[in-house]
PDB file of all heavy atoms in Angstrom:
ATOM      1  N   THR A 339     106.090  87.576  35.273  1.00 85.00           N
ATOM      2  CA  THR A 339     105.955  86.706  34.085  1.00 85.00           C
ATOM      3  C   THR A 339     107.250  86.214  33.621  1.00 85.00           C
ATOM      4  O   THR A 339     108.259  86.752  34.002  1.00 85.00           O
ATOM      5  CB  THR A 339     105.273  87.553  33.012  1.00 85.00           C
ATOM      6  OG1 THR A 339     106.180  88.562  32.606  1.00 85.00           O
ATOM      7  CG2 THR A 339     103.980  88.150  33.418  1.00 85.00           C
ATOM      8  N   VAL A 471      79.568  91.046  32.828  1.00 94.00           N
ATOM      9  CA  VAL A 471      79.551  89.550  33.041  1.00 94.00           C
ATOM     10  C   VAL A 471      78.326  89.193  33.968  1.00 94.00           C
ATOM     11  O   VAL A 471      78.152  89.647  35.061  1.00 94.00           O
ATOM     12  CB  VAL A 471      80.790  89.019  33.839  1.00 94.00           C
ATOM     13  CG1 VAL A 471      80.710  87.561  34.137  1.00 94.00           C
ATOM     14  CG2 VAL A 471      82.071  89.374  32.956  1.00 94.00           C
ATOM     15  N   ALA A 556     121.062  66.015  21.652  1.00 95.00           N
ATOM     16  CA  ALA A 556     119.603  65.919  21.465  1.00 95.00           C
ATOM     17  C   ALA A 556     119.292  64.512  21.037  1.00 95.00           C
ATOM     18  O   ALA A 556     120.168  63.795  20.484  1.00 95.00           O
ATOM     19  CB  ALA A 556     119.186  66.862  20.360  1.00 95.00           C
TER      20      ALA A 556
END
Side-chain angles (χ1 to χ4, degrees):
T339 64
V471 177

